[in-house]
Amino acid sequence: MTVRSRIPFYVAVFLLITAGLSVATWRHFEMGIPWMTGEQQPVWMVEARVDFQGYGDSAQVNLHVPQQPPGFRILTEQAASPGYGFSILENNGSRRAEWTKREVTGPQTLYFKSQFVPDENIVQQPPTRAPRPQTVFWEEPQATAVRELLNQATERSSSPESLTRELITLMQPDNRTQNSTMLVSDENYLQVLVRMLNHAGIAARTADALKLEDARRRQHLVPFIQIYNGERWLTFDPRTAEQGVPENLLLWRQGSESLLDVVGGDNSQVSFSMLRQTIPALQLAAREAASNGLSALSFYQLPIEEQSMFRMLLLLPIGALMVAFMRMVIGVRTSGTFMPVLIAVAFVQTTLVPGLIAFLSVVAIGLLLRGYLSSLNLLLVSRISALIILVIFITAGLSIVGYQMGFNTGMTVTFFPTVIIAWTIERMSILWEEEGPREVAVQGAGSLFVAICAYLAMSRPLAGHLTFNFPELHLVILGLILLMGQYTGYKLSELRRFTPMKAYD
């Protein structure tokens, strides 16, 4: 007799568990589905307000809007501008919100709202074409001052980043010398700094950022400076020389494009208001999946009615795992193999205490009626058919009585599977006749115990969340059940049989 190797079996189980965990991990990181229930995701609502005075003629308003600010994902964008035509124009990586109207007279106010989700994985994208520093010409004596300042900063630096930091430090009011005072004033500081960096062979530009603070109104953009180090654009605070983009900083405009252009009006200005909100992380993931086409990999594209059905159906493998563990490892005897799973499903619908009362009532009354059917000497098929009808009458009677008495316990009986209850009553009645009431009590109590354990596992909010949003985890459950199917050792309930041997030793 040849013994079949179990290596292919264990390899298949390993592949099942690995595939389930891998797909679930991918779904978590790619689609943003949280592992735990109740997780909240912060979202910044930023509103740009444009005010201008109309001439009485046609007007065209262009506002620069972010393309992909580092550290944030754009969730939604919308405009509130009654009577205006609106569109978002994209050209060479630049995005502008455009409002148009045939006739505009008097004060006008336009709104553009965006929702930004903090995401540390969003980084500054490298440009498609490496930017080159602009050619800058200086006249004397500014040329000499620029040369001396750049030489001083170059001596203290070894890279474009360190040169930028040293130059910013030298041009601060506390460190200004005769050369820097000649070049810089409060009005032209950024322009002079950008020109000097370009003159030193470093591509530089300005950027406008918004400091995010909850419930702030009428805020204005803060200027920053960016340099190209040969790989990507780096952001510096021109006041402190600090490098990088802080978490609460939203880069609204990057580059030389204007922030706001108004044709057909004057006295234009733009201000910003912001509000920090929190929304469920699962809702955010479902919304983003719908926008990027990944919703086809989830159940959220199904109708609500079918989603509700699958939420309950996908809990069954957890109940099956619990029954397999209790029967094959613990050794609990039940009436029927997977009858406890179906009872546990009914408990999920009815909650535990009302479900227990209803189940015990139906089974007790059914056993009494089954005793009467036995005295009629009916055939098995006829007896089961009659028992199914009697169970339906029992269910209806308990529901009516419970409703009349003001209890919902009787009405919850309708969630129990009628045919399974009928077979359970039949099996218990036969077991009573063949093995006696003690065996009926043991198997009945075992069935209820396993059903309660399965209910406790299936009714957890985390169980429903994981099984519905990560259905591939059922491959892990399948692998565990297959592994338990290979268990041939002693069950825990059988250990008491060997207690006398231990005492003898």
Side-chain angles (χ1 to χ4, degrees):
M1 180 178 179
T2 60
V3 179
R4 180 179 297 179
S5 175
R6 293 186 178 182
I7 294 179
F9 168 78
Y10 290 119
V11 171
V13 170
F14 173 77
L15 292 177
L16 279 175
I17 296 177
T18 303
L21 294 176
S22 300
V23 175
T25 303
W26 173 86
R27 193 186 294 269
H28 169 71
F29 287 105
E30 187 67 23
M31 302 179 63
I33 300 177
W35 292 117
M36 306 299 292
T37 61
E39 289 189 17
Q40 298 290 320
Q41 177 71 36
V43 175
W44 285 97
M45 171 69 77
V46 178
E47 178 185 79
R49 171 174 172 167
V50 178
D51 295 290
F52 70 98
Q53 191 78 18
Y55 287 152
D57 202 350
S58 61
Q60 178 177 321
V61 180
N62 278 272
L63 175 67
H64 182 91
V65 295
Q67 169 71 20
Q68 189 179 13
F72 293 91
R73 292 197 318 271
I74 300 176
L75 182 59
T76 61
E77 292 179 324
Q78 62 181 357
S81 49
Y84 280 82
F86 176 79
S87 59
I88 295 181
L89 308 179
E90 298 190 18
N91 184 20
N92 296 328
S94 174
R95 301 175 72 243
R96 301 189 71 86
E98 181 180 89
W99 291 268
T100 55
K101 191 174 183 180
R102 178 66 61 182
E103 183 177 349
V104 176
T105 304
Q108 303 291 313
T109 302
L110 307 175
Y111 294 96
F112 179 81
K113 299 180 181 180
S114 296
Q115 283 184 312
F116 297 92
V117 181
D119 189 347
E120 59 183 10
N121 296 321
I122 304 297
V123 297
Q124 182 75 40
Q125 295 295 324
T128 56
R129 181 182 300 177
R132 297 180 178 179
Q134 299 177 358
T135 303
V136 181
F137 297 96
W138 302 88
E139 296 181 356
E140 293 294 347
Q142 286 83 4
T144 301
V146 169
R147 185 167 54 252
E148 293 182 0
L149 284 173
L150 289 177
N151 289 337
Q152 187 177 357
T154 303
E155 292 177 358
R156 303 178 181 178
S157 62
S158 60
S159 63
E161 298 93 317
S162 58
L163 176 61
T164 302
R165 290 194 296 267
E166 291 299 327
L167 192 58
I168 292 175
T169 302
L170 289 174
M171 298 179 68
Q172 293 305 304
D174 296 339
N175 301 325
R176 285 182 185 174
T177 61
Q178 184 177 358
N179 290 326
S180 58
T181 303
M182 181 188 305
L183 293 170
V184 179
S185 64
D186 294 338
E187 291 78 15
N188 67 349
Y189 168 60
L190 279 178
Q191 290 73 17
V192 171
L193 182 59
V194 170
R195 294 186 64 195
M196 292 180 66
L197 289 171
N198 279 279
H199 186 75
I202 302 174
R205 67 186 185 184
T206 59
D208 292 325
L210 189 64
K211 291 186 177 180
L212 299 177
E213 300 179 29
D214 190 19
R216 297 301 298 272
R217 302 174 61 250
R218 297 287 184 170
Q219 299 298 298
H220 296 280
L221 297 176
V222 180
F224 280 74
I225 190 168
Q226 293 181 324
I227 67 166
Y228 185 71
N229 68 344
E231 298 179 357
R232 63 185 186 276
W233 288 101
L234 302 178
T235 304
F236 292 84
D237 190 329
R239 293 157 293 275
T240 63
E242 182 180 355
Q243 180 181 340
V245 181
E247 293 182 358
N248 64 334
L249 196 70
L250 173 65
L251 289 178
W252 188 273
R253 184 192 66 87
Q254 304 178 72
S256 57
E257 288 192 0
S258 61
L259 175 63
L260 177 65
D261 294 327
V262 177
V263 178
D266 59 3
N267 297 328
S268 60
Q269 61 178 354
V270 57
S271 60
F272 297 85
S273 301
M274 63 207 73
L275 184 66
R276 188 180 187 275
Q277 303 171 322
T278 56
I279 64 176
L282 184 59
Q283 176 184 342
L284 177 61
R287 185 186 302 179
E288 292 188 342
S291 63
N292 57 26
L294 293 177
S295 60
L297 304 178
S298 68
F299 290 103
Y300 288 101
Q301 63 174 343
L302 298 176
I304 299 298
E305 182 178 357
E306 295 188 16
Q307 289 187 35
S308 301
M309 179 189 68
F310 274 104
R311 283 185 183 274
M312 180 57 61
L313 186 63
L314 292 172
L315 289 174
L316 289 178
I318 296 181
L321 176 65
M322 182 62 67
V323 171
F325 177 78
M326 287 294 180
R327 287 179 61 92
M328 292 185 291
V329 179
I330 304 299
V332 179
R333 287 182 291 175
T334 62
S335 178
T337 306
F338 286 101
M339 185 271 288
V341 178
L342 300 177
I343 301 303
V345 172
F347 287 166
V348 171
Q349 298 287 339
T350 64
T351 68
L352 184 59
V353 175
L356 278 174
I357 295 175
F359 175 75
L360 294 176
S361 301
V362 172
V363 172
I365 299 175
L367 284 174
L368 294 176
L369 295 177
R370 169 59 175 77
Y372 172 74
L373 293 177
S374 298
S375 63
L376 299 179
N377 295 324
L378 300 175
L379 296 176
L380 176 63
V381 175
S382 178
R383 188 168 65 243
I384 292 296
S385 301
L387 194 57
I388 291 175
I389 297 175
L390 291 176
V391 168
I392 294 176
F393 276 107
I394 296 171
T395 302
L398 288 178
S399 298
I400 294 174
V401 172
Y403 177 77
Q404 294 295 333
M405 297 180 63
F407 298 105
N408 292 325
T409 303
M411 301 180 66
T412 59
V413 185
T414 56
F415 289 105
F416 288 99
T418 303
V419 177
I420 299 301
I421 293 294
W423 269 108
T424 300
I425 295 173
E426 176 68 16
R427 289 172 57 89
M428 286 185 174
S429 180
I430 294 176
L431 191 64
W432 188 298
E433 296 172 355
E434 295 179 353
E435 303 290 341
R438 182 179 181 277
E439 186 66 21
V440 172
V442 170
Q443 293 192 15
S447 298
L448 280 181
F449 175 73
V450 174
I452 292 173
C453 292
Y455 159 78
L456 294 176
M458 296 165 63
S459 61
R460 297 296 91 189
L462 181 60
H465 171 77
L466 292 178
T467 55
F468 188 78
N469 294 286
F470 300 96
E472 55 277 353
L473 291 180
H474 289 89
L475 296 177
V476 179
I477 297 178
L478 176 60
L480 295 177
I481 291 177
L482 292 177
L483 285 177
M484 283 190 290
Q486 292 288 317
Y487 179 71
T488 57
Y490 291 109
K491 298 178 177 60
L492 294 180
S493 61
E494 294 177 337
L495 295 180
R496 61 179 181 176
R497 294 166 51 192
F498 303 96
T499 303
M501 297 180 60
K502 182 178 179 180
Y504 178 79
D505 292 340

